[in-house]
Amino acid sequence: MSYLWCYMEILYISVIAFAHRGSQEQQAHSRPQEISTDSWYPPSVVSSPGSSRPMTPSASTSSSFRPTDRPSSLSNVSPAEAAGIIAMLKDKSVDELRKLLSDKDAYHNFLHSLEPVKTQSRVRDELRNETLQLARENLEKEPRIMELRNQCRIIRTTELATAQEKLHELERKKEQTQKHYSPSSLLHQLQEAMNETDEESEALHRQLLNGEIDLTAFVQKYKKMRYMYHKRALTHLAAKTSLAS
């Protein structure tokens, strides 16, 4: 409602100014009446900083009273809006202006008849209604939100747990496979295959010496074994050299 305080302030200043001017015009015929200081206006509107009494003009006040004589904060009211308020007040009689100062209902009726105040009130009401509508829609969605939360909790404790366990198992298999086929592991496997082939060829040679195999069969098997051994040995040497560089 801060915008209403701005309009209340400029309206108060304008009413005081016009009432004072009307009192001066009546001065030639009769003693001007003071504007009552028993105003219902809030102190934040009628009191200037450092003053405990409303600033109302009287016969003892300076005849050069102007709205700008009083410090105010009217940055939220445009010059055009202020001019519109002044235009609605300039044709009012002194009695009508005094009534605006003393009659709270008359003042409120006049204040809310101002077009800028109507516009601000309409915008305020629209925003309030939209906010209430959004709040109602959010409350209507609350059961669905709770249902989705429960579904997420179930998924997290059942399906997700199973999927995570399977993922961990696959990651372990992946690590084992990578370790099995790493360069160092392949070199070790090749070295073991070389040693195995060498031992088999030596065993075959002992069979020949013991007469357990004839020469023709020995030559064929032994030749094949030694070929395989030297092939693996050369491959192992080439791999070690490649890794070292």
Side-chain angles (χ1 to χ4, degrees):
M1 298 297 290
S2 60
Y3 71 92
L4 278 180
W5 288 106
C6 296
Y7 289 113
M8 286 177 69
E9 187 173 10
I10 193 170
L11 179 57
Y12 174 80
I13 295 172
S14 301
V15 170
I16 289 293
F18 280 110
H20 181 63
R21 187 185 65 181
S23 297
Q24 285 184 322
E25 292 175 354
Q26 294 176 356
Q27 190 172 6
H29 304 285
S30 62
R31 184 176 180 272
Q33 299 178 4
E34 294 185 1
I35 304 300
S36 172
T37 58
D38 297 329
S39 173
W40 63 269
Y41 281 69
S44 59
V45 175
V46 301
S47 297
S48 61
S51 173
S52 61
R53 294 192 62 189
M55 293 186 63
T56 56
S58 65
S60 60
T61 58
S62 170
S63 61
S64 59
F65 173 80
R66 299 184 307 274
T68 54
D69 290 336
R70 176 179 172 274
S72 59
S73 176
L74 305 176
S75 58
N76 292 330
V77 179
S78 68
E81 291 173 336
I85 295 174
I86 293 172
M88 295 182 68
L89 291 172
K90 67 180 181 178
D91 295 329
K92 289 188 177 296
S93 66
V94 175
D95 291 337
E96 289 175 327
L97 295 172
R98 288 199 183 101
K99 186 176 181 181
L100 289 177
L101 291 176
S102 59
D103 189 331
K104 184 176 181 178
D105 293 334
Y107 165 78
H108 274 294
N109 291 335
F110 182 79
L111 176 66
H112 289 281
S113 69
L114 299 175
E115 194 60 35
V117 175
K118 289 181 180 178
T119 301
Q120 294 284 357
S121 298
R122 183 171 60 254
V123 172
R124 179 204 60 194
D125 292 340
E126 290 176 356
L127 291 175
R128 180 177 59 189
N129 292 335
E130 290 176 3
T131 302
L132 290 174
Q133 180 63 27
L134 288 175
R136 282 192 290 267
E137 291 177 359
N138 289 338
L139 290 175
E140 291 174 357
K141 294 176 181 178
E142 188 66 22
R144 178 57 176 167
I145 293 175
M146 295 300 298
E147 180 183 354
L148 292 175
R149 285 178 179 173
N150 292 333
Q151 291 180 3
C152 290
R153 189 179 299 109
I154 294 172
I155 292 173
R156 184 168 57 250
T157 55
T158 56
E159 298 178 14
L160 180 60
T162 303
Q164 285 180 335
E165 184 179 354
K166 185 175 181 180
L167 176 62
H168 293 158
E169 180 64 23
L170 291 174
E171 288 178 345
R172 284 194 295 270
K173 290 182 179 180
K174 176 185 175 182
E175 292 176 358
Q176 292 175 357
T177 302
Q178 288 178 336
K179 184 177 180 180
H180 181 74
Y181 289 101
S182 64
S184 58
S185 178
L186 291 174
L187 282 175
H188 179 71
Q189 294 177 42
L190 188 57
Q191 181 67 52
E192 288 183 345
M194 287 169 53
N195 295 338
E196 183 181 352
T197 304
D198 190 39
E199 290 174 359
E200 289 178 354
S201 62
E202 288 297 326
L204 185 64
H205 184 255
R206 286 193 296 270
Q207 289 179 1
L208 176 64
L209 294 178
N210 295 331
E212 298 176 357
I213 187 173
D214 59 41
L215 183 61
T216 302
F218 168 78
V219 170
Q220 290 179 350
K221 290 184 177 181
Y222 190 79
K223 179 180 178 181
K224 184 178 181 180
M225 288 180 180
R226 297 314 295 175
Y227 172 81
M228 182 62 66
Y229 170 81
H230 289 294
K231 181 180 180 180
R232 289 172 177 173
L234 289 174
T235 302
H236 185 271
L237 179 62
K240 286 184 65 177
T241 304
S242 177
L243 289 176
S245 60

